[in-house]
Amino acid sequence: MYAALVLGVAALLLATCWGAYRLWNGAPYPEVDPHVVATRLGSEAEHVQDDLALPAGAESPPDRMETGACYYRGLRSVAHIDQARADVRTFILGWRTTGVPKDTARTGQERVRARLSQQGWKLISENISDMGFRYEDRSTGDQVDVNWYAPTGTLAVSIHAPCGKIPDGYGL
């Protein structure tokens, strides 16, 4: 009886500590391999570029991945407001081309939409710009934004991966 009580108290104490830790830190970021993410986003950028079928001379996807800041989760985020984590990053490929006629942009966007929908991506936002949308890959969390802005005829594409924890010793 006494042993069961001690085990019960120990289990309750461990569960409380784990809960407090999780409340303070929030859900952990998934571990990512930057090379795998870069390859995946680069491949998607090529598909989007092919779908858009812009005339020769239009800007192509960059060959360099950028990273973005990710922040603390849970109650710890209150203690570290606007302080980015060094070990967690998001990855972004983006480019823009100006002078794209509305009909050309719309036709290309429809091809991108059709392919992403066929591959199971989920539409999560529309009309971000004068004419734009955002799709998300349900399995990876990657997002594709394709926007067209009327005043300059700018077609802007952004492909990004959600925040992920970078392996120790990996320099970005």
Side-chain angles (χ1 to χ4, degrees):
M1 173 77 175
Y2 179 72
L5 180 62
V6 169
L7 284 174
V9 168
L12 182 62
L13 183 59
L14 284 173
T16 301
C17 288
W18 180 85
Y21 175 84
R22 187 67 181 256
L23 181 65
W24 176 251
N25 289 303
Y29 285 103
E31 300 250 346
V32 297
D33 180 339
H35 294 295
V36 171
V37 174
T39 300
R40 190 176 69 229
L41 295 185
S43 175
E44 187 56 42
E46 288 176 14
H47 291 306
V48 170
Q49 183 76 4
D50 291 345
D51 292 340
L52 290 173
L54 296 175
E59 189 167 332
S60 61
D63 59 0
R64 185 167 187 271
M65 181 92 41
E66 293 184 22
T67 63
C70 296
Y71 299 92
Y72 289 91
R73 293 180 168 175
L75 292 177
R76 190 173 188 181
S77 65
V78 176
H80 297 281
I81 293 176
D82 293 335
Q83 183 181 353
R85 289 182 52 167
D87 62 336
V88 180
R89 306 298 291 174
T90 182
F91 298 86
I92 307 150
L93 272 177
W95 70 96
R96 62 185 65 234
T97 301
T98 57
V100 178
K102 183 177 183 177
D103 291 340
T104 302
R106 184 178 302 277
T107 302
Q109 284 180 316
E110 289 307 315
R111 284 190 294 270
V112 172
R113 282 175 175 268
R115 181 182 57 79
L116 293 175
S117 293
Q118 179 187 26
Q119 292 176 343
W121 291 57
K122 177 183 172 188
L123 178 66
I124 60 172
S125 187
E126 265 191 288
N127 299 322
I128 298 168
S129 60
D130 299 326
M131 195 170 71
F133 55 84
R134 175 178 293 154
Y135 274 80
E136 181 177 70
D137 183 338
R138 297 173 200 217
S139 63
T140 63
D142 294 350
Q143 295 182 354
V144 172
D145 296 6
V146 181
N147 295 291
W148 182 79
Y149 300 91
T152 59
T154 299
L155 184 65
V157 177
S158 174
I159 302 170
H160 57 278
C163 293
K165 187 169 183 340
I166 306 300
D168 290 339
Y170 193 91
L172 288 178

